[in-house]
PDB file of all heavy atoms in Angstrom:
ATOM      1  N   THR E  87      14.050   9.594 -15.895  1.00 96.00           N
ATOM      2  CA  THR E  87      15.049   9.303 -14.840  1.00 96.00           C
ATOM      3  C   THR E  87      14.319   9.194 -13.526  1.00 96.00           C
ATOM      4  O   THR E  87      14.647   8.291 -12.699  1.00 96.00           O
ATOM      5  CB  THR E  87      16.068  10.426 -14.795  1.00 96.00           C
ATOM      6  OG1 THR E  87      16.733  10.522 -16.041  1.00 96.00           O
ATOM      7  CG2 THR E  87      17.095  10.216 -13.689  1.00 96.00           C
ATOM      8  N   GLN E  88      13.387  10.084 -13.235  1.00 96.00           N
ATOM      9  CA  GLN E  88      12.656  10.013 -11.996  1.00 96.00           C
ATOM     10  C   GLN E  88      11.790   8.744 -11.943  1.00 96.00           C
ATOM     11  O   GLN E  88      11.646   8.130 -10.878  1.00 96.00           O
ATOM     12  CB  GLN E  88      11.694  11.239 -11.891  1.00 96.00           C
ATOM     13  CG  GLN E  88      10.892  11.288 -10.601  1.00 96.00           C
ATOM     14  CD  GLN E  88      11.771  11.375  -9.363  1.00 96.00           C
ATOM     15  OE1 GLN E  88      12.759  12.079  -9.358  1.00 96.00           O
ATOM     16  NE2 GLN E  88      11.376  10.672  -8.334  1.00 96.00           N
ATOM     17  N   MET E  89      11.312   8.272 -13.066  1.00 96.00           N
ATOM     18  CA  MET E  89      10.471   7.052 -13.106  1.00 96.00           C
ATOM     19  C   MET E  89      11.382   5.836 -12.732  1.00 96.00           C
ATOM     20  O   MET E  89      10.902   4.957 -11.939  1.00 96.00           O
ATOM     21  CB  MET E  89       9.936   6.849 -14.537  1.00 96.00           C
ATOM     22  CG  MET E  89       9.139   5.575 -14.710  1.00 96.00           C
ATOM     23  SD  MET E  89       9.034   5.030 -16.401  1.00 96.00           S
ATOM     24  CE  MET E  89      10.746   4.476 -16.663  1.00 96.00           C
ATOM     25  N   THR E  90      12.569   5.741 -13.223  1.00 96.00           N
ATOM     26  CA  THR E  90      13.469   4.582 -12.914  1.00 96.00           C
ATOM     27  C   THR E  90      13.768   4.583 -11.392  1.00 96.00           C
ATOM     28  O   THR E  90      13.836   3.541 -10.792  1.00 96.00           O
ATOM     29  CB  THR E  90      14.734   4.659 -13.705  1.00 96.00           C
ATOM     30  OG1 THR E  90      15.392   5.882 -13.515  1.00 96.00           O
ATOM     31  CG2 THR E  90      14.417   4.467 -15.141  1.00 96.00           C
ATOM     32  N   HIS E  91      14.017   5.811 -10.808  1.00 96.00           N
ATOM     33  CA  HIS E  91      14.256   5.841  -9.357  1.00 96.00           C
ATOM     34  C   HIS E  91      13.038   5.386  -8.591  1.00 96.00           C
ATOM     35  O   HIS E  91      13.159   4.615  -7.567  1.00 96.00           O
ATOM     36  CB  HIS E  91      14.595   7.256  -8.956  1.00 96.00           C
ATOM     37  CG  HIS E  91      15.968   7.725  -9.463  1.00 96.00           C
ATOM     38  ND1 HIS E  91      17.040   6.939  -9.434  1.00 96.00           N
ATOM     39  CD2 HIS E  91      16.374   8.898 -10.009  1.00 96.00           C
ATOM     40  CE1 HIS E  91      18.117   7.607  -9.972  1.00 96.00           C
ATOM     41  NE2 HIS E  91      17.675   8.747 -10.330  1.00 96.00           N
ATOM     42  N   SER E  92      11.844   5.783  -9.042  1.00 96.00           N
ATOM     43  CA  SER E  92      10.616   5.357  -8.320  1.00 96.00           C
ATOM     44  C   SER E  92      10.396   3.850  -8.401  1.00 96.00           C
ATOM     45  O   SER E  92       9.980   3.191  -7.491  1.00 96.00           O
ATOM     46  CB  SER E  92       9.365   6.126  -8.915  1.00 96.00           C
ATOM     47  OG  SER E  92       9.588   7.506  -8.749  1.00 96.00           O
ATOM     48  N   LEU E  93      10.742   3.306  -9.636  1.00 96.00           N
ATOM     49  CA  LEU E  93      10.579   1.824  -9.746  1.00 96.00           C
ATOM     50  C   LEU E  93      11.575   1.060  -8.887  1.00 96.00           C
ATOM     51  O   LEU E  93      11.229  -0.010  -8.313  1.00 96.00           O
ATOM     52  CB  LEU E  93      10.794   1.448 -11.241  1.00 96.00           C
ATOM     53  CG  LEU E  93       9.689   1.819 -12.210  1.00 96.00           C
ATOM     54  CD1 LEU E  93      10.070   1.504 -13.641  1.00 96.00           C
ATOM     55  CD2 LEU E  93       8.337   1.091 -11.846  1.00 96.00           C
ATOM     56  N   GLN E  94      12.799   1.589  -8.749  1.00 95.00           N
ATOM     57  CA  GLN E  94      13.739   0.928  -7.806  1.00 95.00           C
ATOM     58  C   GLN E  94      13.324   0.976  -6.378  1.00 95.00           C
ATOM     59  O   GLN E  94      13.428   0.023  -5.637  1.00 95.00           O
ATOM     60  CB  GLN E  94      15.110   1.629  -7.992  1.00 95.00           C
ATOM     61  CG  GLN E  94      15.858   1.201  -9.293  1.00 95.00           C
ATOM     62  CD  GLN E  94      17.231   1.819  -9.337  1.00 95.00           C
ATOM     63  OE1 GLN E  94      17.409   2.990  -9.235  1.00 95.00           O
ATOM     64  NE2 GLN E  94      18.196   0.977  -9.569  1.00 95.00           N
ATOM     65  N   GLU E  95      12.702   2.133  -6.031  1.00 95.00           N
ATOM     66  CA  GLU E  95      12.174   2.202  -4.599  1.00 95.00           C
ATOM     67  C   GLU E  95      11.026   1.262  -4.398  1.00 95.00           C
ATOM     68  O   GLU E  95      10.923   0.608  -3.367  1.00 95.00           O
ATOM     69  CB  GLU E  95      11.723   3.649  -4.366  1.00 95.00           C
ATOM     70  CG  GLU E  95      12.892   4.660  -4.313  1.00 95.00           C
ATOM     71  CD  GLU E  95      12.391   6.078  -4.137  1.00 95.00           C
ATOM     72  OE1 GLU E  95      11.104   6.266  -4.174  1.00 95.00           O
ATOM     73  OE2 GLU E  95      13.191   7.014  -4.107  1.00 95.00           O
ATOM     74  N   LEU E  96      10.172   1.098  -5.412  1.00 94.00           N
ATOM     75  CA  LEU E  96       9.027   0.153  -5.323  1.00 94.00           C
ATOM     76  C   LEU E  96       9.537  -1.277  -5.274  1.00 94.00           C
ATOM     77  O   LEU E  96       8.982  -2.095  -4.505  1.00 94.00           O
ATOM     78  CB  LEU E  96       8.136   0.362  -6.518  1.00 94.00           C
ATOM     79  CG  LEU E  96       6.812  -0.456  -6.521  1.00 94.00           C
ATOM     80  CD1 LEU E  96       5.960  -0.149  -5.264  1.00 94.00           C
ATOM     81  CD2 LEU E  96       6.026  -0.190  -7.778  1.00 94.00           C
ATOM     82  N   ALA E  97      10.631  -1.600  -6.090  1.00 94.00           N
ATOM     83  CA  ALA E  97      11.146  -2.955  -6.063  1.00 94.00           C
ATOM     84  C   ALA E  97      11.798  -3.226  -4.682  1.00 94.00           C
ATOM     85  O   ALA E  97      11.659  -4.356  -4.220  1.00 94.00           O
ATOM     86  CB  ALA E  97      12.184  -3.107  -7.178  1.00 94.00           C
ATOM     87  N   THR E  98      12.472  -2.283  -4.097  1.00 93.00           N
ATOM     88  CA  THR E  98      13.066  -2.463  -2.775  1.00 93.00           C
ATOM     89  C   THR E  98      11.958  -2.768  -1.735  1.00 93.00           C
ATOM     90  O   THR E  98      12.161  -3.518  -0.792  1.00 93.00           O
ATOM     91  CB  THR E  98      13.884  -1.247  -2.397  1.00 93.00           C
ATOM     92  OG1 THR E  98      14.849  -0.967  -3.414  1.00 93.00           O
ATOM     93  CG2 THR E  98      14.561  -1.453  -1.043  1.00 93.00           C
ATOM     94  N   ALA E  99      10.779  -2.152  -1.910  1.00 93.00           N
ATOM     95  CA  ALA E  99       9.676  -2.375  -1.024  1.00 93.00           C
ATOM     96  C   ALA E  99       8.870  -3.655  -1.353  1.00 93.00           C
ATOM     97  O   ALA E  99       7.755  -3.801  -0.855  1.00 93.00           O
ATOM     98  CB  ALA E  99       8.754  -1.169  -1.001  1.00 93.00           C
ATOM     99  N   GLN E 100       9.488  -4.553  -2.145  1.00 90.00           N
ATOM    100  CA  GLN E 100       8.878  -5.849  -2.482  1.00 90.00           C
ATOM    101  C   GLN E 100       7.586  -5.665  -3.310  1.00 90.00           C
ATOM    102  O   GLN E 100       6.655  -6.449  -3.168  1.00 90.00           O
ATOM    103  CB  GLN E 100       8.601  -6.641  -1.230  1.00 90.00           C
ATOM    104  CG  GLN E 100       9.797  -6.888  -0.299  1.00 90.00           C
ATOM    105  CD  GLN E 100      10.876  -7.635  -1.065  1.00 90.00           C
ATOM    106  OE1 GLN E 100      10.613  -8.627  -1.772  1.00 90.00           O
ATOM    107  NE2 GLN E 100      12.122  -7.237  -0.839  1.00 90.00           N
ATOM    108  N   GLY E 101       7.571  -4.651  -4.213  1.00 91.00           N
ATOM    109  CA  GLY E 101       6.413  -4.509  -5.105  1.00 91.00           C
ATOM    110  C   GLY E 101       6.435  -5.464  -6.264  1.00 91.00           C
ATOM    111  O   GLY E 101       7.496  -6.122  -6.485  1.00 91.00           O
ATOM    112  N   SER E 102       5.376  -5.482  -7.039  1.00 93.00           N
ATOM    113  CA  SER E 102       5.317  -6.360  -8.189  1.00 93.00           C
ATOM    114  C   SER E 102       5.565  -5.544  -9.465  1.00 93.00           C
ATOM    115  O   SER E 102       4.905  -4.576  -9.700  1.00 93.00           O
ATOM    116  CB  SER E 102       3.921  -7.036  -8.283  1.00 93.00           C
ATOM    117  OG  SER E 102       3.697  -7.691  -9.498  1.00 93.00           O
ATOM    118  N   PHE E 103       6.499  -6.099 -10.315  1.00 95.00           N
ATOM    119  CA  PHE E 103       6.777  -5.378 -11.532  1.00 95.00           C
ATOM    120  C   PHE E 103       5.593  -5.462 -12.508  1.00 95.00           C
ATOM    121  O   PHE E 103       5.444  -4.633 -13.388  1.00 95.00           O
ATOM    122  CB  PHE E 103       8.047  -5.923 -12.208  1.00 95.00           C
ATOM    123  CG  PHE E 103       8.032  -7.311 -12.660  1.00 95.00           C
ATOM    124  CD1 PHE E 103       7.475  -7.664 -13.846  1.00 95.00           C
ATOM    125  CD2 PHE E 103       8.640  -8.311 -11.826  1.00 95.00           C
ATOM    126  CE1 PHE E 103       7.413  -9.008 -14.262  1.00 95.00           C
ATOM    127  CE2 PHE E 103       8.632  -9.646 -12.250  1.00 95.00           C
ATOM    128  CZ  PHE E 103       8.044  -9.988 -13.506  1.00 95.00           C
ATOM    129  N   GLU E 104       4.822  -6.546 -12.411  1.00 94.00           N
ATOM    130  CA  GLU E 104       3.635  -6.687 -13.301  1.00 94.00           C
ATOM    131  C   GLU E 104       2.649  -5.609 -13.148  1.00 94.00           C
ATOM    132  O   GLU E 104       1.848  -5.244 -13.986  1.00 94.00           O
ATOM    133  CB  GLU E 104       3.017  -8.082 -13.091  1.00 94.00           C
ATOM    134  CG  GLU E 104       3.973  -9.207 -13.492  1.00 94.00           C
ATOM    135  CD  GLU E 104       3.320 -10.574 -13.228  1.00 94.00           C
ATOM    136  OE1 GLU E 104       2.335 -10.589 -12.414  1.00 94.00           O
ATOM    137  OE2 GLU E 104       3.796 -11.594 -13.736  1.00 94.00           O
ATOM    138  N   VAL E 105       2.603  -5.043 -11.942  1.00 94.00           N
ATOM    139  CA  VAL E 105       1.682  -3.898 -11.647  1.00 94.00           C
ATOM    140  C   VAL E 105       2.437  -2.559 -11.797  1.00 94.00           C
ATOM    141  O   VAL E 105       1.876  -1.586 -12.326  1.00 94.00           O
ATOM    142  CB  VAL E 105       1.162  -3.995 -10.196  1.00 94.00           C
ATOM    143  CG1 VAL E 105       0.312  -2.784  -9.892  1.00 94.00           C
ATOM    144  CG2 VAL E 105       0.358  -5.291 -10.015  1.00 94.00           C
ATOM    145  N   ALA E 106       3.680  -2.527 -11.427  1.00 96.00           N
ATOM    146  CA  ALA E 106       4.462  -1.288 -11.448  1.00 96.00           C
ATOM    147  C   ALA E 106       4.701  -0.755 -12.847  1.00 96.00           C
ATOM    148  O   ALA E 106       4.602   0.439 -13.113  1.00 96.00           O
ATOM    149  CB  ALA E 106       5.797  -1.447 -10.709  1.00 96.00           C
ATOM    150  N   PHE E 107       5.022  -1.659 -13.783  1.00 96.00           N
ATOM    151  CA  PHE E 107       5.380  -1.213 -15.159  1.00 96.00           C
ATOM    152  C   PHE E 107       4.211  -0.559 -15.897  1.00 96.00           C
ATOM    153  O   PHE E 107       4.305   0.530 -16.460  1.00 96.00           O
ATOM    154  CB  PHE E 107       5.982  -2.382 -15.975  1.00 96.00           C
ATOM    155  CG  PHE E 107       7.326  -2.776 -15.475  1.00 96.00           C
ATOM    156  CD1 PHE E 107       7.820  -4.082 -15.778  1.00 96.00           C
ATOM    157  CD2 PHE E 107       8.125  -1.925 -14.751  1.00 96.00           C
ATOM    158  CE1 PHE E 107       9.088  -4.469 -15.301  1.00 96.00           C
ATOM    159  CE2 PHE E 107       9.375  -2.319 -14.259  1.00 96.00           C
ATOM    160  CZ  PHE E 107       9.821  -3.604 -14.541  1.00 96.00           C
ATOM    161  N   PRO E 108       2.997  -1.149 -15.916  1.00 95.00           N
ATOM    162  CA  PRO E 108       1.877  -0.486 -16.554  1.00 95.00           C
ATOM    163  C   PRO E 108       1.563   0.813 -15.911  1.00 95.00           C
ATOM    164  O   PRO E 108       1.232   1.815 -16.599  1.00 95.00           O
ATOM    165  CB  PRO E 108       0.742  -1.478 -16.435  1.00 95.00           C
ATOM    166  CG  PRO E 108       1.424  -2.789 -16.308  1.00 95.00           C
ATOM    167  CD  PRO E 108       2.648  -2.528 -15.530  1.00 95.00           C
ATOM    168  N   ASP E 109       1.602   0.902 -14.569  1.00 95.00           N
ATOM    169  CA  ASP E 109       1.354   2.193 -13.902  1.00 95.00           C
ATOM    170  C   ASP E 109       2.367   3.277 -14.284  1.00 95.00           C
ATOM    171  O   ASP E 109       2.037   4.417 -14.558  1.00 95.00           O
ATOM    172  CB  ASP E 109       1.390   2.015 -12.374  1.00 95.00           C
ATOM    173  CG  ASP E 109       0.177   1.206 -11.903  1.00 95.00           C
ATOM    174  OD1 ASP E 109      -0.790   1.033 -12.657  1.00 95.00           O
ATOM    175  OD2 ASP E 109       0.200   0.720 -10.706  1.00 95.00           O
ATOM    176  N   ALA E 110       3.640   2.856 -14.407  1.00 95.00           N
ATOM    177  CA  ALA E 110       4.706   3.834 -14.771  1.00 95.00           C
ATOM    178  C   ALA E 110       4.482   4.281 -16.215  1.00 95.00           C
ATOM    179  O   ALA E 110       4.695   5.468 -16.512  1.00 95.00           O
ATOM    180  CB  ALA E 110       6.050   3.179 -14.600  1.00 95.00           C
ATOM    181  N   ALA E 111       4.076   3.391 -17.100  1.00 94.00           N
ATOM    182  CA  ALA E 111       3.869   3.782 -18.531  1.00 94.00           C
ATOM    183  C   ALA E 111       2.702   4.751 -18.581  1.00 94.00           C
ATOM    184  O   ALA E 111       2.759   5.694 -19.411  1.00 94.00           O
ATOM    185  CB  ALA E 111       3.620   2.506 -19.367  1.00 94.00           C
ATOM    186  N   GLU E 112       1.674   4.536 -17.847  1.00 95.00           N
ATOM    187  CA  GLU E 112       0.503   5.512 -17.837  1.00 95.00           C
ATOM    188  C   GLU E 112       0.913   6.841 -17.361  1.00 95.00           C
ATOM    189  O   GLU E 112       0.474   7.869 -17.878  1.00 95.00           O
ATOM    190  CB  GLU E 112      -0.607   4.859 -17.014  1.00 95.00           C
ATOM    191  CG  GLU E 112      -1.879   5.705 -17.072  1.00 95.00           C
ATOM    192  CD  GLU E 112      -2.470   5.804 -18.489  1.00 95.00           C
ATOM    193  OE1 GLU E 112      -2.274   4.884 -19.249  1.00 95.00           O
ATOM    194  OE2 GLU E 112      -3.154   6.864 -18.733  1.00 95.00           O
ATOM    195  N   LYS E 113       1.715   6.876 -16.334  1.00 95.00           N
ATOM    196  CA  LYS E 113       2.199   8.173 -15.784  1.00 95.00           C
ATOM    197  C   LYS E 113       3.037   8.898 -16.832  1.00 95.00           C
ATOM    198  O   LYS E 113       2.914  10.112 -16.954  1.00 95.00           O
ATOM    199  CB  LYS E 113       2.966   7.957 -14.490  1.00 95.00           C
ATOM    200  CG  LYS E 113       2.119   7.517 -13.334  1.00 95.00           C
ATOM    201  CD  LYS E 113       2.949   7.312 -12.070  1.00 95.00           C
ATOM    202  CE  LYS E 113       2.088   6.772 -10.878  1.00 95.00           C
ATOM    203  NZ  LYS E 113       2.925   6.543  -9.684  1.00 95.00           N
ATOM    204  N   MET E 114       3.885   8.172 -17.540  1.00 95.00           N
ATOM    205  CA  MET E 114       4.707   8.818 -18.541  1.00 95.00           C
ATOM    206  C   MET E 114       3.869   9.317 -19.687  1.00 95.00           C
ATOM    207  O   MET E 114       4.138  10.360 -20.308  1.00 95.00           O
ATOM    208  CB  MET E 114       5.783   7.826 -19.075  1.00 95.00           C
ATOM    209  CG  MET E 114       6.849   7.455 -17.994  1.00 95.00           C
ATOM    210  SD  MET E 114       7.602   8.862 -17.225  1.00 95.00           S
ATOM    211  CE  MET E 114       8.184   9.759 -18.630  1.00 95.00           C
ATOM    212  N   ARG E 115       2.823   8.563 -20.028  1.00 94.00           N
ATOM    213  CA  ARG E 115       1.901   9.045 -21.095  1.00 94.00           C
ATOM    214  C   ARG E 115       1.272  10.353 -20.652  1.00 94.00           C
ATOM    215  O   ARG E 115       1.108  11.264 -21.498  1.00 94.00           O
ATOM    216  CB  ARG E 115       0.857   7.997 -21.324  1.00 94.00           C
ATOM    217  CG  ARG E 115      -0.026   8.256 -22.509  1.00 94.00           C
ATOM    218  CD  ARG E 115      -1.002   7.132 -22.844  1.00 94.00           C
ATOM    219  NE  ARG E 115      -0.286   5.986 -23.319  1.00 94.00           N
ATOM    220  CZ  ARG E 115      -0.091   4.900 -22.641  1.00 94.00           C
ATOM    221  NH1 ARG E 115      -0.520   4.801 -21.356  1.00 94.00           N
ATOM    222  NH2 ARG E 115       0.511   3.836 -23.158  1.00 94.00           N
ATOM    223  N   ASN E 116       0.895  10.507 -19.405  1.00 95.00           N
ATOM    224  CA  ASN E 116       0.331  11.754 -18.945  1.00 95.00           C
ATOM    225  C   ASN E 116       1.379  12.908 -18.963  1.00 95.00           C
ATOM    226  O   ASN E 116       1.001  14.076 -19.233  1.00 95.00           O
ATOM    227  CB  ASN E 116      -0.239  11.584 -17.540  1.00 95.00           C
ATOM    228  CG  ASN E 116      -1.441  10.693 -17.456  1.00 95.00           C
ATOM    229  OD1 ASN E 116      -2.153  10.554 -18.449  1.00 95.00           O
ATOM    230  ND2 ASN E 116      -1.653  10.011 -16.349  1.00 95.00           N
ATOM    231  N   VAL E 117       2.629  12.552 -18.655  1.00 95.00           N
ATOM    232  CA  VAL E 117       3.678  13.587 -18.676  1.00 95.00           C
ATOM    233  C   VAL E 117       3.808  14.087 -20.107  1.00 95.00           C
ATOM    234  O   VAL E 117       3.974  15.282 -20.364  1.00 95.00           O
ATOM    235  CB  VAL E 117       4.984  13.005 -18.156  1.00 95.00           C
ATOM    236  CG1 VAL E 117       6.155  13.953 -18.489  1.00 95.00           C
ATOM    237  CG2 VAL E 117       4.898  12.784 -16.683  1.00 95.00           C
ATOM    238  N   ILE E 118       3.784  13.166 -21.117  1.00 94.00           N
ATOM    239  CA  ILE E 118       3.977  13.551 -22.498  1.00 94.00           C
ATOM    240  C   ILE E 118       2.822  14.438 -22.990  1.00 94.00           C
ATOM    241  O   ILE E 118       3.029  15.367 -23.721  1.00 94.00           O
ATOM    242  CB  ILE E 118       4.078  12.297 -23.368  1.00 94.00           C
ATOM    243  CG1 ILE E 118       5.432  11.575 -23.039  1.00 94.00           C
ATOM    244  CG2 ILE E 118       4.025  12.628 -24.883  1.00 94.00           C
ATOM    245  CD1 ILE E 118       5.571  10.221 -23.712  1.00 94.00           C
ATOM    246  N   ILE E 119       1.626  14.164 -22.510  1.00 94.00           N
ATOM    247  CA  ILE E 119       0.422  14.968 -22.876  1.00 94.00           C
ATOM    248  C   ILE E 119       0.623  16.381 -22.429  1.00 94.00           C
ATOM    249  O   ILE E 119       0.205  17.378 -23.128  1.00 94.00           O
ATOM    250  CB  ILE E 119      -0.843  14.326 -22.344  1.00 94.00           C
ATOM    251  CG1 ILE E 119      -1.104  13.014 -23.058  1.00 94.00           C
ATOM    252  CG2 ILE E 119      -2.024  15.293 -22.492  1.00 94.00           C
ATOM    253  CD1 ILE E 119      -2.295  12.216 -22.455  1.00 94.00           C
ATOM    254  N   GLN E 120       1.265  16.593 -21.256  1.00 94.00           N
ATOM    255  CA  GLN E 120       1.407  17.933 -20.700  1.00 94.00           C
ATOM    256  C   GLN E 120       2.613  18.730 -21.258  1.00 94.00           C
ATOM    257  O   GLN E 120       2.737  19.854 -20.932  1.00 94.00           O
ATOM    258  CB  GLN E 120       1.568  17.804 -19.150  1.00 94.00           C
ATOM    259  CG  GLN E 120       0.338  17.261 -18.526  1.00 94.00           C
ATOM    260  CD  GLN E 120       0.537  17.009 -17.018  1.00 94.00           C
ATOM    261  OE1 GLN E 120       1.585  17.451 -16.449  1.00 94.00           O
ATOM    262  NE2 GLN E 120      -0.365  16.317 -16.355  1.00 94.00           N
ATOM    263  N   LEU E 121       3.435  18.059 -22.071  1.00 94.00           N
ATOM    264  CA  LEU E 121       4.562  18.795 -22.675  1.00 94.00           C
ATOM    265  C   LEU E 121       4.077  19.815 -23.706  1.00 94.00           C
ATOM    266  O   LEU E 121       2.919  19.733 -24.188  1.00 94.00           O
ATOM    267  CB  LEU E 121       5.472  17.789 -23.363  1.00 94.00           C
ATOM    268  CG  LEU E 121       6.243  16.812 -22.503  1.00 94.00           C
ATOM    269  CD1 LEU E 121       7.066  15.828 -23.345  1.00 94.00           C
ATOM    270  CD2 LEU E 121       7.107  17.529 -21.480  1.00 94.00           C
ATOM    271  N   LYS E 122       4.930  20.775 -24.015  1.00 93.00           N
ATOM    272  CA  LYS E 122       4.585  21.779 -25.006  1.00 93.00           C
ATOM    273  C   LYS E 122       4.376  21.146 -26.328  1.00 93.00           C
ATOM    274  O   LYS E 122       5.150  20.296 -26.793  1.00 93.00           O
ATOM    275  CB  LYS E 122       5.735  22.829 -25.094  1.00 93.00           C
ATOM    276  CG  LYS E 122       5.443  23.979 -25.998  1.00 93.00           C
ATOM    277  CD  LYS E 122       6.516  25.042 -25.776  1.00 93.00           C
ATOM    278  CE  LYS E 122       7.907  24.587 -25.989  1.00 93.00           C
ATOM    279  NZ  LYS E 122       8.889  25.670 -25.853  1.00 93.00           N
ATOM    280  N   GLU E 123       3.296  21.490 -27.005  1.00 93.00           N
ATOM    281  CA  GLU E 123       2.894  20.830 -28.261  1.00 93.00           C
ATOM    282  C   GLU E 123       3.885  21.135 -29.377  1.00 93.00           C
ATOM    283  O   GLU E 123       4.561  22.164 -29.375  1.00 93.00           O
ATOM    284  CB  GLU E 123       1.497  21.325 -28.666  1.00 93.00           C
ATOM    285  CG  GLU E 123       0.360  20.912 -27.758  1.00 93.00           C
ATOM    286  CD  GLU E 123      -0.967  21.285 -28.331  1.00 93.00           C
ATOM    287  OE1 GLU E 123      -0.999  21.971 -29.410  1.00 93.00           O
ATOM    288  OE2 GLU E 123      -2.008  20.981 -27.709  1.00 93.00           O
ATOM    289  N   VAL E 124       3.904  20.184 -30.287  1.00 91.00           N
ATOM    290  CA  VAL E 124       4.777  20.378 -31.513  1.00 91.00           C
ATOM    291  C   VAL E 124       4.089  21.437 -32.406  1.00 91.00           C
ATOM    292  O   VAL E 124       2.897  21.309 -32.705  1.00 91.00           O
ATOM    293  CB  VAL E 124       4.914  19.060 -32.284  1.00 91.00           C
ATOM    294  CG1 VAL E 124       5.723  19.279 -33.523  1.00 91.00           C
ATOM    295  CG2 VAL E 124       5.549  18.006 -31.373  1.00 91.00           C
ATOM    296  N   LYS E 125       4.860  22.432 -32.816  1.00 92.00           N
ATOM    297  CA  LYS E 125       4.292  23.459 -33.712  1.00 92.00           C
ATOM    298  C   LYS E 125       4.142  22.940 -35.117  1.00 92.00           C
ATOM    299  O   LYS E 125       4.916  22.175 -35.577  1.00 92.00           O
ATOM    300  CB  LYS E 125       5.200  24.708 -33.671  1.00 92.00           C
ATOM    301  CG  LYS E 125       5.172  25.413 -32.306  1.00 92.00           C
ATOM    302  CD  LYS E 125       5.824  26.800 -32.398  1.00 92.00           C
ATOM    303  CE  LYS E 125       5.712  27.513 -31.054  1.00 92.00           C
ATOM    304  NZ  LYS E 125       6.299  28.849 -31.134  1.00 92.00           N
ATOM    305  N   ALA E 126       3.056  23.341 -35.725  1.00 93.00           N
ATOM    306  CA  ALA E 126       2.751  22.929 -37.116  1.00 93.00           C
ATOM    307  C   ALA E 126       3.681  23.526 -38.114  1.00 93.00           C
ATOM    308  O   ALA E 126       4.163  24.683 -37.951  1.00 93.00           O
ATOM    309  CB  ALA E 126       1.317  23.208 -37.465  1.00 93.00           C
ATOM    310  N   CYS E 127       3.913  22.838 -39.225  1.00 95.00           N
ATOM    311  CA  CYS E 127       4.703  23.395 -40.292  1.00 95.00           C
ATOM    312  C   CYS E 127       3.844  24.379 -41.100  1.00 95.00           C
ATOM    313  O   CYS E 127       2.688  24.172 -41.318  1.00 95.00           O
ATOM    314  CB  CYS E 127       5.152  22.294 -41.245  1.00 95.00           C
ATOM    315  SG  CYS E 127       6.215  21.032 -40.435  1.00 95.00           S
ATOM    316  N   ILE E 128       4.455  25.488 -41.495  1.00 95.00           N
ATOM    317  CA  ILE E 128       3.761  26.513 -42.244  1.00 95.00           C
ATOM    318  C   ILE E 128       4.264  26.551 -43.645  1.00 95.00           C
ATOM    319  O   ILE E 128       5.448  26.939 -43.887  1.00 95.00           O
ATOM    320  CB  ILE E 128       3.963  27.918 -41.583  1.00 95.00           C
ATOM    321  CG1 ILE E 128       3.469  27.869 -40.105  1.00 95.00           C
ATOM    322  CG2 ILE E 128       3.251  28.964 -42.348  1.00 95.00           C
ATOM    323  CD1 ILE E 128       3.674  29.136 -39.337  1.00 95.00           C
ATOM    324  N   PRO E 129       3.489  26.098 -44.637  1.00 95.00           N
ATOM    325  CA  PRO E 129       3.978  26.073 -46.022  1.00 95.00           C
ATOM    326  C   PRO E 129       4.048  27.521 -46.513  1.00 95.00           C
ATOM    327  O   PRO E 129       3.561  28.453 -45.866  1.00 95.00           O
ATOM    328  CB  PRO E 129       2.868  25.291 -46.742  1.00 95.00           C
ATOM    329  CG  PRO E 129       1.669  25.411 -45.880  1.00 95.00           C
ATOM    330  CD  PRO E 129       2.147  25.563 -44.461  1.00 95.00           C
ATOM    331  N   PRO E 130       4.746  27.771 -47.638  1.00 96.00           N
ATOM    332  CA  PRO E 130       5.184  26.777 -48.568  1.00 96.00           C
ATOM    333  C   PRO E 130       6.684  26.371 -48.537  1.00 96.00           C
ATOM    334  O   PRO E 130       7.121  25.547 -49.265  1.00 96.00           O
ATOM    335  CB  PRO E 130       4.880  27.425 -49.880  1.00 96.00           C
ATOM    336  CG  PRO E 130       5.190  28.910 -49.636  1.00 96.00           C
ATOM    337  CD  PRO E 130       4.805  29.134 -48.205  1.00 96.00           C
ATOM    338  N   CYS E 131       7.483  27.036 -47.664  1.00 97.00           N
ATOM    339  CA  CYS E 131       8.926  26.859 -47.773  1.00 97.00           C
ATOM    340  C   CYS E 131       9.570  27.201 -46.460  1.00 97.00           C
ATOM    341  O   CYS E 131       8.971  27.723 -45.559  1.00 97.00           O
ATOM    342  CB  CYS E 131       9.463  27.787 -48.898  1.00 97.00           C
ATOM    343  SG  CYS E 131       9.129  29.523 -48.629  1.00 97.00           S
TER     344      CYS E 131
END
């Protein structure tokens, strides 16, 4: 949600979507890396 607001602000400032979208995707990738890790499954049941 914060990313879409930032992209709208950048578009209002006459930015380029060809540059803005890859930058936004990279930032989101970094956000995902910092999230709490998925816990592993513990067998057998």
Side-chain angles (χ1 to χ4, degrees):
T87 301
Q88 182 61 40
M89 178 203 71
T90 56
H91 292 316
S92 300
L93 288 174
Q94 284 183 307
E95 293 175 357
L96 185 60
T98 304
Q100 303 300 317
S102 170
F103 65 80
E104 295 178 344
V105 176
F107 291 158
D109 289 346
E112 184 61 29
K113 290 179 181 178
M114 294 308 305
R115 188 176 289 105
N116 293 332
V117 169
I118 292 173
I119 293 174
Q120 296 175 9
L121 295 177
K122 186 167 56 176
E123 292 184 358
V124 178
K125 293 192 176 182
C127 299
I128 302 178
C131 59

